[in-house]
Amino acid sequence: TVVECRDSNSLTGVAVSNLFKWNSISIRENDDGGEVNTGPQEASSDHARTNDGSNPVIKGEQGGPLYLEYVHIETGSICVKPGDRVKKGQMICRSGGVGFSPEPHLHFSAFRSDHPTAPTVRVLFEGRSSDGGCDGVGEKKPSLFIPQAGSLYNNNGAVSR
């Protein structure tokens, strides 16, 4: 469920005056049993390994709703409003460079609380197999991955620079 949408800023670049002046969408993943849980999952060693093969380290509290925040989004691009329920694959906004940002990109964070100082938690993302492997019905196989800081990703997973 969309909790908050901020879409009034248009400043961009790395000037100090742009600190904390970004556009964002905050979403609380519903776990009320009302519909299938289709958002990112909190990572655990039972589900995936990091890109270097090690088990992911989970920080923060276990349990409670998962809060997701999308930051630096393009002004005027928000397609949802507070109270809307979003589904996997639904467009909610366009990536941008609003706020303290040298170039357009999406900053994504996940938390187990809506408190402003809540620690982040790692989440699994679902990509599509980039090796062209198919599951027999013409669809690329889903693959779970944990994003690593400084890496680039698309809907298939990690990409080369």
Side-chain angles (χ1 to χ4, degrees), residues 96-150:
V98 176
F100 191 78
S101 173
E103 61 187 14
H105 70 286
L106 178 66
H107 179 143
F108 174 86
S109 299
F111 311 89
R112 282 286 177 198
S113 167
D114 61 352
H115 191 274
T117 62
T120 60
V121 295
R122 290 186 178 189
V123 293
L124 294 172
F125 285 76
E126 182 181 298
R128 296 289 168 188
S129 176
S130 59
D131 64 3
C134 293
D135 63 6
V137 292
E139 296 291 324
K140 287 187 175 183
K141 293 181 181 178
S143 62
L144 298 178
F145 64 94
I146 299 172
Q148 302 295 304

mmCIF file of all heavy atoms in Angstrom, residues 96-150:
data_model
loop_
_atom_site.group_PDB
_atom_site.id
_atom_site.type_symbol
_atom_site.label_atom_id
_atom_site.label_comp_id
_atom_site.label_asym_id
_atom_site.label_seq_id
_atom_site.Cartn_x
_atom_site.Cartn_y
_atom_site.Cartn_z
ATOM 1 N N GLY A 96 14.690 9.364 -11.826
ATOM 2 C CA GLY A 96 15.112 10.726 -12.123
ATOM 3 C C GLY A 96 16.399 11.071 -11.413
ATOM 4 O O GLY A 96 17.117 10.195 -10.934
ATOM 5 N N GLY A 97 16.668 12.349 -11.304
ATOM 6 C CA GLY A 97 17.875 12.815 -10.636
ATOM 7 C C GLY A 97 17.570 13.940 -9.673
ATOM 8 O O GLY A 97 18.403 14.817 -9.462
ATOM 9 N N VAL A 98 16.378 13.941 -9.071
ATOM 10 C CA VAL A 98 15.958 15.036 -8.204
ATOM 11 C C VAL A 98 16.594 14.890 -6.828
ATOM 12 O O VAL A 98 16.623 13.818 -6.251
ATOM 13 C CB VAL A 98 14.414 15.087 -8.096
ATOM 14 C CG1 VAL A 98 13.970 16.158 -7.117
ATOM 15 C CG2 VAL A 98 13.807 15.329 -9.464
ATOM 16 N N GLY A 99 17.108 15.995 -6.307
ATOM 17 C CA GLY A 99 17.763 16.017 -5.006
ATOM 18 C C GLY A 99 19.274 16.019 -5.181
ATOM 19 O O GLY A 99 19.794 16.404 -6.219
ATOM 20 N N PHE A 100 19.985 15.604 -4.160
ATOM 21 C CA PHE A 100 21.444 15.551 -4.177
ATOM 22 C C PHE A 100 21.847 14.373 -5.048
ATOM 23 O O PHE A 100 22.014 13.255 -4.570
ATOM 24 C CB PHE A 100 21.967 15.413 -2.744
ATOM 25 C CG PHE A 100 23.445 15.608 -2.614
ATOM 26 C CD1 PHE A 100 23.986 16.883 -2.633
ATOM 27 C CD2 PHE A 100 24.295 14.527 -2.476
ATOM 28 C CE1 PHE A 100 25.354 17.082 -2.507
ATOM 29 C CE2 PHE A 100 25.657 14.705 -2.343
ATOM 30 C CZ PHE A 100 26.184 15.984 -2.358
ATOM 31 N N SER A 101 21.929 14.614 -6.333
ATOM 32 C CA SER A 101 22.092 13.523 -7.293
ATOM 33 C C SER A 101 22.893 14.011 -8.497
ATOM 34 O O SER A 101 22.471 14.942 -9.174
ATOM 35 C CB SER A 101 20.706 13.056 -7.740
ATOM 36 O OG SER A 101 20.800 12.133 -8.776
ATOM 37 N N PRO A 102 24.047 13.382 -8.800
ATOM 38 C CA PRO A 102 24.833 13.815 -9.942
ATOM 39 C C PRO A 102 24.263 13.382 -11.287
ATOM 40 O O PRO A 102 24.583 13.964 -12.312
ATOM 41 C CB PRO A 102 26.189 13.147 -9.703
ATOM 42 C CG PRO A 102 25.868 11.936 -8.908
ATOM 43 C CD PRO A 102 24.679 12.305 -8.054
ATOM 44 N N GLU A 103 23.410 12.347 -11.285
ATOM 45 C CA GLU A 103 22.808 11.852 -12.531
ATOM 46 C C GLU A 103 21.543 11.081 -12.192
ATOM 47 O O GLU A 103 21.364 10.640 -11.061
ATOM 48 C CB GLU A 103 23.785 10.953 -13.287
ATOM 49 C CG GLU A 103 24.207 9.733 -12.516
ATOM 50 C CD GLU A 103 25.302 8.945 -13.220
ATOM 51 O OE1 GLU A 103 25.921 9.449 -14.158
ATOM 52 O OE2 GLU A 103 25.520 7.794 -12.810
ATOM 53 N N PRO A 104 20.648 10.913 -13.164
ATOM 54 C CA PRO A 104 19.418 10.164 -12.900
ATOM 55 C C PRO A 104 19.707 8.724 -12.454
ATOM 56 O O PRO A 104 20.560 8.051 -13.032
ATOM 57 C CB PRO A 104 18.690 10.171 -14.242
ATOM 58 C CG PRO A 104 19.213 11.378 -14.938
ATOM 59 C CD PRO A 104 20.661 11.466 -14.520
ATOM 60 N N HIS A 105 19.045 8.313 -11.415
ATOM 61 C CA HIS A 105 19.145 6.944 -10.910
ATOM 62 C C HIS A 105 18.036 6.724 -9.900
ATOM 63 O O HIS A 105 17.388 7.663 -9.459
ATOM 64 C CB HIS A 105 20.504 6.684 -10.255
ATOM 65 C CG HIS A 105 20.700 7.404 -8.954
ATOM 66 N ND1 HIS A 105 20.946 8.773 -8.877
ATOM 67 C CD2 HIS A 105 20.671 6.958 -7.678
ATOM 68 C CE1 HIS A 105 21.071 9.125 -7.611
ATOM 69 N NE2 HIS A 105 20.899 8.049 -6.860
ATOM 70 N N LEU A 106 17.801 5.491 -9.544
ATOM 71 C CA LEU A 106 16.800 5.155 -8.537
ATOM 72 C C LEU A 106 17.517 4.688 -7.274
ATOM 73 O O LEU A 106 18.372 3.816 -7.335
ATOM 74 C CB LEU A 106 15.874 4.045 -9.031
ATOM 75 C CG LEU A 106 14.816 3.584 -8.034
ATOM 76 C CD1 LEU A 106 13.815 4.696 -7.759
ATOM 77 C CD2 LEU A 106 14.106 2.354 -8.549
ATOM 78 N N HIS A 107 17.182 5.293 -6.174
ATOM 79 C CA HIS A 107 17.707 4.895 -4.866
ATOM 80 C C HIS A 107 16.581 4.119 -4.193
ATOM 81 O O HIS A 107 15.505 4.652 -3.977
ATOM 82 C CB HIS A 107 18.058 6.147 -4.076
ATOM 83 C CG HIS A 107 18.590 5.887 -2.714
ATOM 84 N ND1 HIS A 107 19.586 6.656 -2.174
ATOM 85 C CD2 HIS A 107 18.288 4.964 -1.778
ATOM 86 C CE1 HIS A 107 19.858 6.209 -0.956
ATOM 87 N NE2 HIS A 107 19.069 5.192 -0.700
ATOM 88 N N PHE A 108 16.818 2.856 -3.890
ATOM 89 C CA PHE A 108 15.813 1.976 -3.295
ATOM 90 C C PHE A 108 16.300 1.530 -1.928
ATOM 91 O O PHE A 108 17.446 1.107 -1.786
ATOM 92 C CB PHE A 108 15.604 0.750 -4.194
ATOM 93 C CG PHE A 108 14.706 -0.287 -3.600
ATOM 94 C CD1 PHE A 108 13.336 -0.208 -3.760
ATOM 95 C CD2 PHE A 108 15.223 -1.345 -2.858
ATOM 96 C CE1 PHE A 108 12.496 -1.168 -3.208
ATOM 97 C CE2 PHE A 108 14.401 -2.308 -2.309
ATOM 98 C CZ PHE A 108 13.039 -2.207 -2.492
ATOM 99 N N SER A 109 15.447 1.639 -0.914
ATOM 100 C CA SER A 109 15.783 1.176 0.436
ATOM 101 C C SER A 109 14.602 0.421 1.016
ATOM 102 O O SER A 109 13.448 0.695 0.679
ATOM 103 C CB SER A 109 16.108 2.357 1.358
ATOM 104 O OG SER A 109 17.212 3.078 0.880
ATOM 105 N N ALA A 110 14.901 -0.519 1.920
ATOM 106 C CA ALA A 110 13.860 -1.298 2.600
ATOM 107 C C ALA A 110 14.102 -1.246 4.098
ATOM 108 O O ALA A 110 15.254 -1.286 4.556
ATOM 109 C CB ALA A 110 13.877 -2.737 2.109
ATOM 110 N N PHE A 111 13.024 -1.168 4.861
ATOM 111 C CA PHE A 111 13.084 -1.037 6.317
ATOM 112 C C PHE A 111 12.006 -1.914 6.944
ATOM 113 O O PHE A 111 11.000 -2.204 6.306
ATOM 114 C CB PHE A 111 12.824 0.417 6.744
ATOM 115 C CG PHE A 111 13.636 1.432 5.995
ATOM 116 C CD1 PHE A 111 13.172 1.987 4.812
ATOM 117 C CD2 PHE A 111 14.868 1.834 6.468
ATOM 118 C CE1 PHE A 111 13.915 2.923 4.114
ATOM 119 C CE2 PHE A 111 15.626 2.782 5.779
ATOM 120 C CZ PHE A 111 15.143 3.324 4.597
ATOM 121 N N ARG A 112 12.158 -2.282 8.205
ATOM 122 C CA ARG A 112 11.126 -3.012 8.948
ATOM 123 C C ARG A 112 10.355 -2.091 9.881
ATOM 124 O O ARG A 112 9.656 -2.547 10.778
ATOM 125 C CB ARG A 112 11.754 -4.149 9.762
ATOM 126 C CG ARG A 112 12.095 -5.337 8.913
ATOM 127 C CD ARG A 112 10.832 -6.074 8.545
ATOM 128 N NE ARG A 112 11.118 -7.188 7.653
ATOM 129 C CZ ARG A 112 10.209 -7.771 6.929
ATOM 130 N NH1 ARG A 112 8.961 -7.381 6.953
ATOM 131 N NH2 ARG A 112 10.537 -8.762 6.145
ATOM 132 N N SER A 113 10.458 -0.796 9.674
ATOM 133 C CA SER A 113 9.738 0.192 10.479
ATOM 134 C C SER A 113 9.613 1.463 9.652
ATOM 135 O O SER A 113 10.426 1.709 8.756
ATOM 136 C CB SER A 113 10.526 0.482 11.767
ATOM 137 O OG SER A 113 10.027 1.631 12.415
ATOM 138 N N ASP A 114 8.618 2.275 9.957
ATOM 139 C CA ASP A 114 8.500 3.554 9.262
ATOM 140 C C ASP A 114 9.168 4.681 10.044
ATOM 141 O O ASP A 114 9.066 5.839 9.678
ATOM 142 C CB ASP A 114 7.032 3.889 8.973
ATOM 143 C CG ASP A 114 6.194 4.006 10.236
ATOM 144 O OD1 ASP A 114 6.687 3.689 11.335
ATOM 145 O OD2 ASP A 114 5.020 4.408 10.110
ATOM 146 N N HIS A 115 9.909 4.355 11.113
ATOM 147 C CA HIS A 115 10.625 5.366 11.897
ATOM 148 C C HIS A 115 11.753 5.951 11.045
ATOM 149 O O HIS A 115 12.434 5.210 10.329
ATOM 150 C CB HIS A 115 11.198 4.742 13.180
ATOM 151 C CG HIS A 115 11.696 5.765 14.124
ATOM 152 N ND1 HIS A 115 12.970 6.289 14.046
ATOM 153 C CD2 HIS A 115 11.099 6.375 15.176
ATOM 154 C CE1 HIS A 115 13.134 7.183 14.993
ATOM 155 N NE2 HIS A 115 12.017 7.248 15.703
ATOM 156 N N PRO A 116 11.978 7.275 11.100
ATOM 157 C CA PRO A 116 12.987 7.911 10.246
ATOM 158 C C PRO A 116 14.413 7.377 10.430
ATOM 159 O O PRO A 116 15.236 7.493 9.518
ATOM 160 C CB PRO A 116 12.926 9.389 10.632
ATOM 161 C CG PRO A 116 11.628 9.574 11.319
ATOM 162 C CD PRO A 116 11.230 8.247 11.895
ATOM 163 N N THR A 117 14.723 6.786 11.580
ATOM 164 C CA THR A 117 16.078 6.266 11.800
ATOM 165 C C THR A 117 16.144 4.743 11.744
ATOM 166 O O THR A 117 17.128 4.149 12.183
ATOM 167 C CB THR A 117 16.636 6.756 13.153
ATOM 168 O OG1 THR A 117 15.804 6.253 14.204
ATOM 169 C CG2 THR A 117 16.687 8.285 13.211
ATOM 170 N N ALA A 118 15.123 4.109 11.208
ATOM 171 C CA ALA A 118 15.101 2.649 11.121
ATOM 172 C C ALA A 118 16.272 2.151 10.265
ATOM 173 O O ALA A 118 16.587 2.747 9.236
ATOM 174 C CB ALA A 118 13.785 2.171 10.520
ATOM 175 N N PRO A 119 16.909 1.057 10.674
ATOM 176 C CA PRO A 119 17.988 0.500 9.851
ATOM 177 C C PRO A 119 17.415 -0.168 8.593
ATOM 178 O O PRO A 119 16.271 -0.610 8.588
ATOM 179 C CB PRO A 119 18.632 -0.547 10.766
ATOM 180 C CG PRO A 119 17.560 -0.930 11.728
ATOM 181 C CD PRO A 119 16.691 0.290 11.908
ATOM 182 N N THR A 120 18.221 -0.216 7.567
ATOM 183 C CA THR A 120 17.790 -0.881 6.343
ATOM 184 C C THR A 120 17.922 -2.397 6.493
ATOM 185 O O THR A 120 18.661 -2.882 7.339
ATOM 186 C CB THR A 120 18.633 -0.435 5.130
ATOM 187 O OG1 THR A 120 19.997 -0.748 5.369
ATOM 188 C CG2 THR A 120 18.464 1.045 4.862
ATOM 189 N N VAL A 121 17.171 -3.125 5.668
ATOM 190 C CA VAL A 121 17.284 -4.581 5.596
ATOM 191 C C VAL A 121 17.546 -4.943 4.142
ATOM 192 O O VAL A 121 17.134 -4.235 3.225
ATOM 193 C CB VAL A 121 16.016 -5.307 6.112
ATOM 194 C CG1 VAL A 121 15.809 -5.039 7.593
ATOM 195 C CG2 VAL A 121 14.775 -4.920 5.330
ATOM 196 N N ARG A 122 18.249 -6.046 3.948
ATOM 197 C CA ARG A 122 18.485 -6.541 2.590
ATOM 198 C C ARG A 122 17.232 -7.237 2.097
ATOM 199 O O ARG A 122 16.532 -7.886 2.861
ATOM 200 C CB ARG A 122 19.640 -7.519 2.578
ATOM 201 C CG ARG A 122 20.967 -6.877 2.825
ATOM 202 C CD ARG A 122 22.066 -7.886 2.662
ATOM 203 N NE ARG A 122 23.337 -7.234 2.865
ATOM 204 C CZ ARG A 122 24.490 -7.811 2.621
ATOM 205 N NH1 ARG A 122 24.526 -9.055 2.169
ATOM 206 N NH2 ARG A 122 25.604 -7.170 2.814
ATOM 207 N N VAL A 123 16.967 -7.099 0.815
ATOM 208 C CA VAL A 123 15.825 -7.773 0.213
ATOM 209 C C VAL A 123 16.271 -8.490 -1.045
ATOM 210 O O VAL A 123 17.266 -8.122 -1.679
ATOM 211 C CB VAL A 123 14.660 -6.806 -0.120
ATOM 212 C CG1 VAL A 123 14.041 -6.230 1.132
ATOM 213 C CG2 VAL A 123 15.109 -5.703 -1.047
ATOM 214 N N LEU A 124 15.543 -9.529 -1.394
ATOM 215 C CA LEU A 124 15.786 -10.262 -2.631
ATOM 216 C C LEU A 124 15.012 -9.610 -3.766
ATOM 217 O O LEU A 124 13.867 -9.206 -3.587
ATOM 218 C CB LEU A 124 15.299 -11.706 -2.490
ATOM 219 C CG LEU A 124 16.030 -12.578 -1.491
ATOM 220 C CD1 LEU A 124 15.311 -13.915 -1.338
ATOM 221 C CD2 LEU A 124 17.462 -12.791 -1.918
ATOM 222 N N PHE A 125 15.624 -9.524 -4.912
ATOM 223 C CA PHE A 125 14.969 -9.052 -6.121
ATOM 224 C C PHE A 125 14.825 -10.232 -7.067
ATOM 225 O O PHE A 125 15.650 -11.135 -7.064
ATOM 226 C CB PHE A 125 15.799 -7.955 -6.797
ATOM 227 C CG PHE A 125 15.724 -6.639 -6.092
ATOM 228 C CD1 PHE A 125 16.415 -6.421 -4.913
ATOM 229 C CD2 PHE A 125 14.965 -5.616 -6.614
ATOM 230 C CE1 PHE A 125 16.348 -5.202 -4.268
ATOM 231 C CE2 PHE A 125 14.891 -4.399 -5.982
ATOM 232 C CZ PHE A 125 15.589 -4.185 -4.799
ATOM 233 N N GLU A 126 13.784 -10.183 -7.886
ATOM 234 C CA GLU A 126 13.584 -11.223 -8.873
ATOM 235 C C GLU A 126 13.939 -10.684 -10.240
ATOM 236 O O GLU A 126 13.370 -9.703 -10.699
ATOM 237 C CB GLU A 126 12.126 -11.692 -8.879
ATOM 238 C CG GLU A 126 11.872 -12.818 -9.864
ATOM 239 C CD GLU A 126 10.422 -13.266 -9.870
ATOM 240 O OE1 GLU A 126 9.945 -13.740 -8.825
ATOM 241 O OE2 GLU A 126 9.786 -13.099 -10.922
ATOM 242 N N GLY A 127 14.908 -11.320 -10.871
ATOM 243 C CA GLY A 127 15.290 -10.982 -12.233
ATOM 244 C C GLY A 127 14.894 -12.125 -13.142
ATOM 245 O O GLY A 127 14.259 -13.094 -12.716
ATOM 246 N N ARG A 128 15.272 -12.043 -14.377
ATOM 247 C CA ARG A 128 15.048 -13.123 -15.339
ATOM 248 C C ARG A 128 16.406 -13.612 -15.787
ATOM 249 O O ARG A 128 17.311 -12.820 -15.997
ATOM 250 C CB ARG A 128 14.228 -12.636 -16.542
ATOM 251 C CG ARG A 128 12.834 -12.198 -16.152
ATOM 252 C CD ARG A 128 12.021 -13.400 -15.784
ATOM 253 N NE ARG A 128 10.786 -12.991 -15.132
ATOM 254 C CZ ARG A 128 9.952 -13.816 -14.571
ATOM 255 N NH1 ARG A 128 10.215 -15.101 -14.537
ATOM 256 N NH2 ARG A 128 8.859 -13.385 -14.008
ATOM 257 N N SER A 129 16.529 -14.899 -15.938
ATOM 258 C CA SER A 129 17.794 -15.509 -16.328
ATOM 259 C C SER A 129 18.340 -14.813 -17.564
ATOM 260 O O SER A 129 17.665 -14.721 -18.579
ATOM 261 C CB SER A 129 17.592 -16.999 -16.612
ATOM 262 O OG SER A 129 18.781 -17.566 -17.080
ATOM 263 N N SER A 130 19.575 -14.296 -17.469
ATOM 264 C CA SER A 130 20.161 -13.584 -18.602
ATOM 265 C C SER A 130 20.926 -14.511 -19.530
ATOM 266 O O SER A 130 21.424 -14.090 -20.548
ATOM 267 C CB SER A 130 21.091 -12.477 -18.100
ATOM 268 O OG SER A 130 22.110 -13.033 -17.299
ATOM 269 N N ASP A 131 21.008 -15.804 -19.185
ATOM 270 C CA ASP A 131 21.723 -16.738 -20.047
ATOM 271 C C ASP A 131 20.826 -17.321 -21.132
ATOM 272 O O ASP A 131 21.237 -18.205 -21.880
ATOM 273 C CB ASP A 131 22.356 -17.861 -19.227
ATOM 274 C CG ASP A 131 21.332 -18.732 -18.508
ATOM 275 O OD1 ASP A 131 20.115 -18.508 -18.693
ATOM 276 O OD2 ASP A 131 21.749 -19.632 -17.764
ATOM 277 N N GLY A 132 19.588 -16.829 -21.218
ATOM 278 C CA GLY A 132 18.672 -17.297 -22.251
ATOM 279 C C GLY A 132 18.001 -18.607 -21.907
ATOM 280 O O GLY A 132 17.240 -19.132 -22.702
ATOM 281 N N GLY A 133 18.275 -19.138 -20.711
ATOM 282 C CA GLY A 133 17.651 -20.406 -20.322
ATOM 283 C C GLY A 133 16.151 -20.260 -20.207
ATOM 284 O O GLY A 133 15.651 -19.258 -19.728
ATOM 285 N N CYS A 134 15.431 -21.256 -20.673
ATOM 286 C CA CYS A 134 13.972 -21.215 -20.629
ATOM 287 C C CYS A 134 13.451 -22.376 -19.799
ATOM 288 O O CYS A 134 14.124 -23.390 -19.633
ATOM 289 C CB CYS A 134 13.380 -21.275 -22.030
ATOM 290 S SG CYS A 134 13.741 -19.807 -23.004
ATOM 291 N N ASP A 135 12.268 -22.235 -19.275
ATOM 292 C CA ASP A 135 11.677 -23.285 -18.445
ATOM 293 C C ASP A 135 10.815 -24.254 -19.254
ATOM 294 O O ASP A 135 10.016 -24.988 -18.693
ATOM 295 C CB ASP A 135 10.876 -22.667 -17.305
ATOM 296 C CG ASP A 135 9.698 -21.839 -17.800
ATOM 297 O OD1 ASP A 135 9.429 -21.836 -19.013
ATOM 298 O OD2 ASP A 135 9.047 -21.208 -16.954
ATOM 299 N N GLY A 136 10.954 -24.250 -20.553
ATOM 300 C CA GLY A 136 10.210 -25.189 -21.385
ATOM 301 C C GLY A 136 8.954 -24.606 -21.999
ATOM 302 O O GLY A 136 8.352 -25.204 -22.866
ATOM 303 N N VAL A 137 8.514 -23.429 -21.547
ATOM 304 C CA VAL A 137 7.315 -22.817 -22.115
ATOM 305 C C VAL A 137 7.628 -21.455 -22.722
ATOM 306 O O VAL A 137 6.765 -20.627 -22.871
ATOM 307 C CB VAL A 137 6.181 -22.697 -21.059
ATOM 308 C CG1 VAL A 137 5.672 -24.059 -20.670
ATOM 309 C CG2 VAL A 137 6.640 -21.914 -19.853
ATOM 310 N N GLY A 138 8.906 -21.219 -23.031
ATOM 311 C CA GLY A 138 9.276 -19.981 -23.703
ATOM 312 C C GLY A 138 9.507 -18.799 -22.791
ATOM 313 O O GLY A 138 9.782 -17.718 -23.259
ATOM 314 N N GLU A 139 9.421 -18.977 -21.485
ATOM 315 C CA GLU A 139 9.650 -17.882 -20.544
ATOM 316 C C GLU A 139 11.046 -18.000 -19.953
ATOM 317 O O GLU A 139 11.512 -19.095 -19.677
ATOM 318 C CB GLU A 139 8.620 -17.920 -19.408
ATOM 319 C CG GLU A 139 7.197 -17.704 -19.850
ATOM 320 C CD GLU A 139 6.939 -16.289 -20.317
ATOM 321 O OE1 GLU A 139 7.510 -15.346 -19.747
ATOM 322 O OE2 GLU A 139 6.173 -16.135 -21.275
ATOM 323 N N LYS A 140 11.709 -16.873 -19.745
ATOM 324 C CA LYS A 140 12.986 -16.913 -19.058
ATOM 325 C C LYS A 140 12.740 -17.275 -17.598
ATOM 326 O O LYS A 140 11.752 -16.866 -17.009
ATOM 327 C CB LYS A 140 13.690 -15.561 -19.150
ATOM 328 C CG LYS A 140 14.245 -15.282 -20.533
ATOM 329 C CD LYS A 140 15.071 -14.027 -20.528
ATOM 330 C CE LYS A 140 15.727 -13.827 -21.876
ATOM 331 N NZ LYS A 140 16.577 -12.652 -21.879
ATOM 332 N N LYS A 141 13.655 -18.047 -17.026
ATOM 333 C CA LYS A 141 13.516 -18.490 -15.645
ATOM 334 C C LYS A 141 13.754 -17.332 -14.681
ATOM 335 O O LYS A 141 14.680 -16.555 -14.872
ATOM 336 C CB LYS A 141 14.520 -19.592 -15.347
ATOM 337 C CG LYS A 141 14.270 -20.872 -16.091
ATOM 338 C CD LYS A 141 15.309 -21.893 -15.706
ATOM 339 C CE LYS A 141 15.078 -23.180 -16.466
ATOM 340 N NZ LYS A 141 16.104 -24.175 -16.142
ATOM 341 N N PRO A 142 12.941 -17.224 -13.622
ATOM 342 C CA PRO A 142 13.204 -16.194 -12.616
ATOM 343 C C PRO A 142 14.458 -16.553 -11.822
ATOM 344 O O PRO A 142 14.760 -17.731 -11.620
ATOM 345 C CB PRO A 142 11.968 -16.217 -11.729
ATOM 346 C CG PRO A 142 11.250 -17.471 -12.035
ATOM 347 C CD PRO A 142 11.735 -17.977 -13.341
ATOM 348 N N SER A 143 15.210 -15.539 -11.422
ATOM 349 C CA SER A 143 16.375 -15.752 -10.570
ATOM 350 C C SER A 143 16.350 -14.700 -9.468
ATOM 351 O O SER A 143 16.023 -13.543 -9.716
ATOM 352 C CB SER A 143 17.661 -15.652 -11.387
ATOM 353 O OG SER A 143 17.799 -14.367 -11.958
ATOM 354 N N LEU A 144 16.652 -15.109 -8.263
ATOM 355 C CA LEU A 144 16.680 -14.192 -7.130
ATOM 356 C C LEU A 144 18.103 -13.679 -6.939
ATOM 357 O O LEU A 144 19.068 -14.425 -7.087
ATOM 358 C CB LEU A 144 16.207 -14.896 -5.865
ATOM 359 C CG LEU A 144 14.776 -15.421 -5.895
ATOM 360 C CD1 LEU A 144 14.453 -16.148 -4.598
ATOM 361 C CD2 LEU A 144 13.784 -14.293 -6.127
ATOM 362 N N PHE A 145 18.231 -12.388 -6.613
ATOM 363 C CA PHE A 145 19.547 -11.825 -6.362
ATOM 364 C C PHE A 145 19.441 -10.726 -5.307
ATOM 365 O O PHE A 145 18.372 -10.167 -5.075
ATOM 366 C CB PHE A 145 20.198 -11.296 -7.644
ATOM 367 C CG PHE A 145 19.467 -10.133 -8.281
ATOM 368 C CD1 PHE A 145 19.819 -8.831 -8.001
ATOM 369 C CD2 PHE A 145 18.431 -10.356 -9.173
ATOM 370 C CE1 PHE A 145 19.155 -7.763 -8.584
ATOM 371 C CE2 PHE A 145 17.752 -9.310 -9.772
ATOM 372 C CZ PHE A 145 18.117 -8.007 -9.474
ATOM 373 N N ILE A 146 20.566 -10.450 -4.670
ATOM 374 C CA ILE A 146 20.666 -9.369 -3.692
ATOM 375 C C ILE A 146 21.554 -8.300 -4.317
ATOM 376 O O ILE A 146 22.722 -8.556 -4.608
ATOM 377 C CB ILE A 146 21.287 -9.857 -2.375
ATOM 378 C CG1 ILE A 146 20.412 -10.947 -1.763
ATOM 379 C CG2 ILE A 146 21.466 -8.692 -1.406
ATOM 380 C CD1 ILE A 146 21.042 -11.632 -0.570
ATOM 381 N N PRO A 147 21.020 -7.102 -4.567
ATOM 382 C CA PRO A 147 21.829 -6.044 -5.178
ATOM 383 C C PRO A 147 23.026 -5.687 -4.298
ATOM 384 O O PRO A 147 22.945 -5.724 -3.077
ATOM 385 C CB PRO A 147 20.868 -4.860 -5.274
ATOM 386 C CG PRO A 147 19.516 -5.443 -5.161
ATOM 387 C CD PRO A 147 19.658 -6.668 -4.314
ATOM 388 N N GLN A 148 24.121 -5.338 -4.934
ATOM 389 C CA GLN A 148 25.338 -4.914 -4.250
ATOM 390 C C GLN A 148 25.586 -3.444 -4.565
ATOM 391 O O GLN A 148 25.416 -3.018 -5.710
ATOM 392 C CB GLN A 148 26.527 -5.743 -4.728
ATOM 393 C CG GLN A 148 26.354 -7.236 -4.524
ATOM 394 C CD GLN A 148 26.285 -7.605 -3.058
ATOM 395 O OE1 GLN A 148 27.190 -7.277 -2.297
ATOM 396 N NE2 GLN A 148 25.219 -8.260 -2.650
ATOM 397 N N ALA A 149 26.000 -2.675 -3.559
ATOM 398 C CA ALA A 149 26.280 -1.253 -3.743
ATOM 399 C C ALA A 149 27.297 -1.055 -4.858
ATOM 400 O O ALA A 149 28.273 -1.794 -4.961
ATOM 401 C CB ALA A 149 26.802 -0.654 -2.440
ATOM 402 N N GLY A 150 27.043 -0.083 -5.713
ATOM 403 C CA GLY A 150 27.953 0.254 -6.792
ATOM 404 C C GLY A 150 27.754 -0.547 -8.064
ATOM 405 O O GLY A 150 28.415 -0.293 -9.061
#
